[in-house]
């Protein structure tokens, strides 16, 4: 039974997508608020989502804020013999910085964010549990701009030792690398095209010159036969 609307949505999306991805296996998703990073039972694998977007709500002062630094921890295990798998999940909370209360509440996720986050989870499942090529991880998970700098003193994940990186910084690094590679490829292509074009021009030039020489020789010899 789901304990919240967000939990219900997570389970719904996960089960639907796993039914398509691995229809021969049975998987379950369990919300575990006591899950600890890097504390794994033998045979279990770990995946950490570090750039999720969530909306937090303080039950004490009713303050609501948006964060693009929500951390989600997953522990995964596949029993190949029984064809059964299990995923334990923990969404790390954030403290309210308006009232300073020590109460931490679960974040709520937008539906489009949950879709992308489950896709990333299944990508990791394919790689770690099935030893397959999982494909590309989705970077653009956050659908809303970040409201400000991440405040580590209010973040439960930071207090547990999980180091964040900003999606914008990683994305910028990847875009610069991709742009550099693209520009280098274009220059090589242009250089190759220039060389081929030059070779074609020289071939046409020499062919025309040969035809001209043959024509002139024929023209000079023609009066001798009159």
């Amino acid at each position: 039974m789901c304990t919240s609307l967000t939990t219900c949505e997570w389970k719904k999306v996960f089960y639907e997508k796993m039914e398509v991805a691995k229809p021969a296996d049975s998987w379950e998703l369990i919300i575990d608020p006591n899950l600890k990073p890097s504390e794994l039972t033998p045979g279990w694998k770990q995946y950490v989502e570090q750039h999720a977007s969530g909306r937090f709500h303080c039950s004490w002062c009713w303050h609501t804020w948006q964060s693009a630094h929500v951390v989600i921890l997953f522990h995964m295990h596949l029993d190949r013999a029984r064809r059964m798998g299990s995923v334990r999940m923990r969404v790390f909370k954030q403290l309210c910085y308006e009232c300073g209360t020590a109460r931490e509440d679960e974040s709520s996720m937008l539906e489009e964010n949950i879709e992308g986050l489950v896709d990333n989870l299944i990508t990791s499942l394919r790689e770690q549990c099935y030893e397959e090529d999982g494909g590309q991880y989705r970077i653009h998970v956050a659908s809303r701009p970040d409201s400000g700098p991440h405040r580590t003193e209010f973040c439960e994940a930071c207090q547990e030792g999980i180091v964040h990186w900003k999606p914008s910084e990683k994305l910028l690094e990847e875009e610069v690398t991709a742009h550099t590679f693209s520009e280098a490829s274009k220059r090589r292509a242009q250089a190759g095209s220039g060389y081929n074009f030059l070779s074609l021009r020289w071939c046409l030039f020499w062919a025309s010159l040969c035809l001209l020489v043959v024509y002139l020789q024929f023209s000079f010899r023609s009066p001798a036969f009159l």
Side-chain angles (χ1 to χ4, degrees):
M1 182 176 178
C2 298
T3 57
S4 68
L5 181 61
T6 303
T7 300
C8 288
E9 187 62 31
W10 269 102
K11 289 179 178 289
K12 174 179 175 292
V13 175
F14 176 75
Y15 293 142
E16 287 177 353
K17 288 183 176 288
M18 284 305 296
E19 183 64 27
V20 175
K22 294 295 176 183
D25 297 339
S26 177
W27 281 85
E28 64 174 349
L29 177 64
I30 301 171
I31 308 299
D32 185 354
N34 298 315
L35 209 60
K36 297 292 184 182
S38 301
E39 294 184 7
L40 295 167
T41 306
W44 285 70
K45 309 293 183 181
Q46 175 172 289
Y47 169 62
V48 182
E49 179 68 65
Q50 302 187 50
H51 46 80
S53 176
R55 187 167 54 249
F56 290 88
H57 171 75
C58 177
S59 60
W60 181 259
C61 70
W62 304 102
H63 174 60
T64 301
W65 67 98
Q66 181 80 13
S67 175
H69 305 280
V70 182
V71 176
I72 308 174
L73 175 65
F74 298 98
H75 285 182
M76 310 165 291
H77 178 263
L78 172 63
D79 187 335
R80 292 181 178 271
R82 300 172 59 192
R83 304 195 69 89
M84 296 180 64
S86 180
V87 175
R88 292 188 173 274
M89 166 186 165
R90 175 187 178 185
V91 180
F92 287 93
K93 306 170 188 177
Q94 293 183 12
L95 291 170
C96 176
Y97 55 85
E98 286 290 331
C99 65
T101 180
R103 183 178 178 83
E104 297 169 319
D105 295 316
E106 293 284 354
S107 67
S108 60
M109 302 282 178
L110 300 179
E111 184 176 352
E112 60 268 26
N113 288 336
I114 294 177
E115 292 273 348
L117 294 166
V118 171
D119 284 340
N120 282 354
L121 170 60
I122 293 176
T123 296
S124 183
L125 279 172
R126 285 182 177 275
E127 292 176 348
Q128 298 197 71
C129 296
Y130 291 95
E131 299 179 353
E132 299 176 352
D133 180 7
Q136 295 289 331
Y137 286 89
R138 295 174 61 172
I139 299 295
H140 298 283
V141 174
S143 63
R144 295 186 180 183
D146 192 9
S147 58
H150 182 61
R151 304 179 66 171
T152 59
E153 67 272 22
F154 294 98
C155 176
E156 188 180 48
C158 290
Q159 301 306 313
E160 299 234 9
I162 296 179
V163 180
H164 290 255
W165 52 263
K166 292 184 178 180
S168 57
E169 293 177 352
K170 182 175 178 61
L171 184 59
L172 179 61
E173 180 182 348
E174 291 180 350
E175 286 180 346
V176 169
T177 303
H179 177 71
T180 304
F181 178 78
S182 177
E183 288 297 321
S185 300
K186 287 181 180 178
R187 286 195 295 268
R188 287 195 296 268
Q190 290 172 355
S193 298
Y195 177 79
N196 293 336
F197 177 68
L198 184 62
S199 299
L200 179 60
R201 288 180 59 187
W202 277 108
C203 288
L204 292 174
F205 172 77
W206 286 112
S208 301
L209 185 60
C210 290
L211 288 174
L212 179 61
V213 171
V214 171
Y215 172 75
L216 291 175
Q217 288 180 347
F218 180 77
S219 298
F220 284 124
R221 291 179 181 178
S222 295
F225 295 98
L226 293 177

